[in-house]
Amino acid sequence: MSLLDYQHLNQQVKNKLFEISYLVSCFNKIGDTDISRYAETYFKNILNIIYERDGWNFEKAIKINQDTYDLIDSENKVYIQITSNERQKKKNTTIKLFEEKYCNDEFDVLIILFIANSKPKKTEKKTEFIYNDYDITEFASLIENKCNPTELLRIRDILIAQSSSNISNTQTQNKERAKEIKITEKEFHRCKKLEKELRKELIFEKYWEHIDSKELAKYPDRKFKDSRFILRSIEDKSYPNADGNSNWYRTFMYDFYEYGILIWLDALFGTTAIVNEKEEWYVEEIRESNKEIPENCVRVNIRILGKLPYTNIVYWHDGDEYYNDYHLFCKYLGVDNSPYDEIIYRYENSLGYFWDDLDIKKKLK
């Protein structure tokens, strides 16, 4: 391969990486994170080529609700997280969770790949493990420095094949997606404005100065002035009356998340789940909570949370002549004709914190 061919090949790889980074950023802005999750697959294949001569071989994480890494090489104790979230908080949280869960005896190397054109600032704190992170430009340089022409060609083929079939299938699809992004840009700005309004209105000012951090970690709803509110469908005609066809009810806010508000669906009663040795699980009926559990199973406390995205919130106001609670008017376009994009089941760990979700794919009933 001539030097000119090599330079052209290297530029092709960079162009595809930058294209992927841009598309991921655009779709994440409108709340579509599917493309980020899919990106993990072909970045796994690329990383296996980059580190092939180092003897590293990555597989996707298979542990239940693994939120601190996406790829793992168990033999060499190397862990990689792939994310488009370039906030400093994301990086600090990932490092902290690794230190708490794996640092003692389970891993030696942590790498974070930010699918973005920037990354959080350098960490000054010394760690007991090897830590590296890359933004998309640095990742492109890593490929150029570590890969020979044959390896570079394999990476180019992965990027072209995968992006052609799954991200930018044809020029027509690219044009349609660009049009869709342009149309939804107005909606994106509406959602950001709504988020700013709700955070200012619903949360105590400087709540972190008045609420103990450990208490807040266990009960994030305590940052709200009043977590109880009225959830209403924009199509509901029955309010303030209630019947079998009503699409409004009282419920509770739990916390904010990146794309909306977490709603605490079982706030008024404790809920438990039974988890077996295969990490399969089911929610216990309230009347069953005192029964003896099956062998090789554990009972865990859970919180059932609905993800209410800003895109489904149309309007809000602070009370009326019937109920003094906040009212959120929503589009019921989510799961089971609800406004929720997803229902998650967060379980209590040994320290009493509800930080991790049960794997919905392993829910038995």
Side-chain angles (χ1 to χ4, degrees):
M1 179 181 292
S2 68
L3 178 60
L4 185 61
D5 289 337
Y6 176 77
Q7 290 174 339
H8 177 67
L9 179 60
N10 190 51
Q11 190 60 49
Q12 282 183 300
V13 170
K14 290 180 179 178
N15 290 345
K16 280 297 177 184
L17 288 172
F18 299 153
E19 176 186 331
I20 291 167
S21 175
Y22 173 73
L23 285 171
V24 168
S25 173
C26 288
F27 278 94
N28 283 350
K29 283 180 179 180
I30 62 173
D32 184 352
T33 58
D34 286 343
I35 195 170
S36 298
R37 289 193 291 270
Y38 178 77
E40 294 172 9
T41 299
Y42 54 83
F43 275 111
K44 181 199 78 169
N45 296 333
I46 292 171
L47 285 159
N48 280 336
I49 294 174
I50 295 173
Y51 292 106
E52 187 173 22
R53 283 177 285 159
D54 296 307
W56 293 1
N57 184 51
F58 296 102
E59 297 292 340
K60 282 193 172 185
I62 58 174
K63 286 188 177 181
I64 186 169
N65 299 301
Q66 182 49 255
D67 59 351
T68 48
Y69 61 83
D70 301 303
L71 306 178
I72 178 173
D73 179 345
S74 301
E75 183 176 347
N76 294 290
K77 299 183 178 179
V78 183
Y79 299 75
I80 295 181
Q81 183 171 86
I82 300 171
T83 180
S84 57
N85 185 345
E86 54 193 293
R87 295 179 181 176
Q88 188 70 42
K89 181 180 178 181
K90 172 67 173 178
K91 174 179 175 179
N92 293 343
T93 300
T94 300
I95 292 175
K96 180 180 178 182
L97 288 173
F98 266 83
E99 287 177 326
E100 292 175 351
K101 294 183 177 181
Y102 309 111
C103 185
N104 293 331
D105 56 8
E106 290 194 33
F107 78 95
D108 299 319
V109 181
L110 168 62
I111 299 171
I112 304 180
L113 171 57
F114 295 95
I115 314 174
N117 59 7
S118 62
K119 66 178 185 179
K121 64 182 180 181
K122 183 178 179 181
T123 303
E124 300 297 333
K125 178 185 175 182
K126 291 185 178 180
T127 59
E128 298 180 16
F129 53 90
I130 299 171
Y131 172 78
N132 285 309
D133 55 38
Y134 303 96
D135 60 30
I136 202 68
T137 303
E138 293 170 334
F139 187 65
S141 297
L142 176 70
I143 292 173
E144 183 177 11
N145 294 332
K146 282 188 70 72
C147 295
N148 60 36
T150 301
E151 293 164 339
L152 200 60
L153 185 61
R154 290 166 60 196
I155 291 174
R156 192 280 309 269
D157 290 344
I158 288 172
L159 288 169
I160 290 178
Q162 297 288 358
S163 62
S164 295
S165 60
N166 295 285
I167 294 182
S168 54
N169 197 12
T170 64
Q171 288 186 347
T172 301
Q173 285 182 331
N174 280 341
K175 289 178 181 178
E176 289 301 317
R177 282 182 173 171
K179 188 186 298 183
E180 180 182 342
I181 289 170
K182 187 175 182 179
I183 292 171
T184 56
E185 185 176 343
K186 182 178 180 180
E187 173 67 1
F188 170 73
H189 287 296
R190 184 194 74 84
C191 289
K192 297 309 291 183
K193 180 181 178 183
L194 176 66
E195 177 185 10
K196 185 176 180 180
E197 290 176 359
L198 291 175
R199 284 182 178 272
K200 182 178 180 181
E201 176 67 28
L202 301 177
I203 295 178
F204 288 114
E205 186 176 0
K206 297 182 179 180
Y207 63 86
W208 56 87
E209 295 180 358
H210 310 289
I211 307 175
D212 179 75
S213 59
K214 290 184 178 179
E215 178 186 359
L216 193 60
K218 289 187 177 181
Y219 301 100
D221 60 303
R222 293 182 182 176
K223 68 167 71 70
F224 291 100
K225 296 174 185 176
D226 187 354
S227 67
R228 189 177 68 177
F229 76 104
I230 305 291
L231 183 65
R232 298 174 61 177
S233 167
I234 58 174
E235 297 179 307
D236 180 73
K237 305 294 184 182
S238 65
Y239 181 86
N241 299 313
D243 56 43
N245 298 317
S246 296
N247 266 337
W248 72 271
Y249 56 92
R250 273 176 151 174
T251 187
F252 295 82
M253 301 179 196
Y254 183 75
D255 201 357
F256 284 92
Y257 72 104
E258 188 171 4
Y259 301 111
I261 305 174
L262 291 175
I263 306 304
W264 194 352
L265 301 178
D266 62 337
L268 294 178
F269 49 89
T271 310
T272 54
I274 301 299
V275 185
N276 66 24
E277 57 188 355
K278 296 179 181 180
E279 297 180 339
E280 298 168 330
W281 58 279
Y282 63 89
V283 178
E284 278 192 296
E285 298 288 342
I286 295 177
R287 62 179 180 272
E288 297 176 339
S289 59
N290 293 323
K291 289 185 178 181
E292 185 176 346
I293 64 175
E295 190 177 352
N296 298 323
C297 291
V298 295
R299 175 181 283 122
V300 294
N301 295 319
I302 63 172
R303 291 173 182 170
I304 304 176
L305 308 174
K307 287 187 172 182
L308 175 60
Y310 297 119
T311 52
N312 281 352
I313 303 175
V314 177
Y315 176 72
W316 68 274
H317 67 70
D318 182 8
D320 59 17
E321 64 270 30
Y322 301 106
Y323 294 98
N324 196 35
D325 306 307
Y326 288 103
H327 293 234
L328 294 185
F329 296 81
C330 300
K331 295 179 286 187
Y332 277 46
L333 301 176
V335 295
D336 298 327
N337 296 316
S338 78
Y340 307 119
D341 269 358
E342 183 182 2
I343 305 298
I344 60 176
Y345 301 80
R346 196 159 287 180
Y347 65 91
E348 184 179 22
N349 64 19
S350 59
L351 299 176
Y353 297 103
F354 291 79
W355 284 346
D356 299 308
D357 300 340
L358 292 169
D359 188 347
I360 195 67
K361 294 179 182 178
K362 295 187 176 183
K363 188 172 185 289
L364 296 177
K365 66 176 182 177

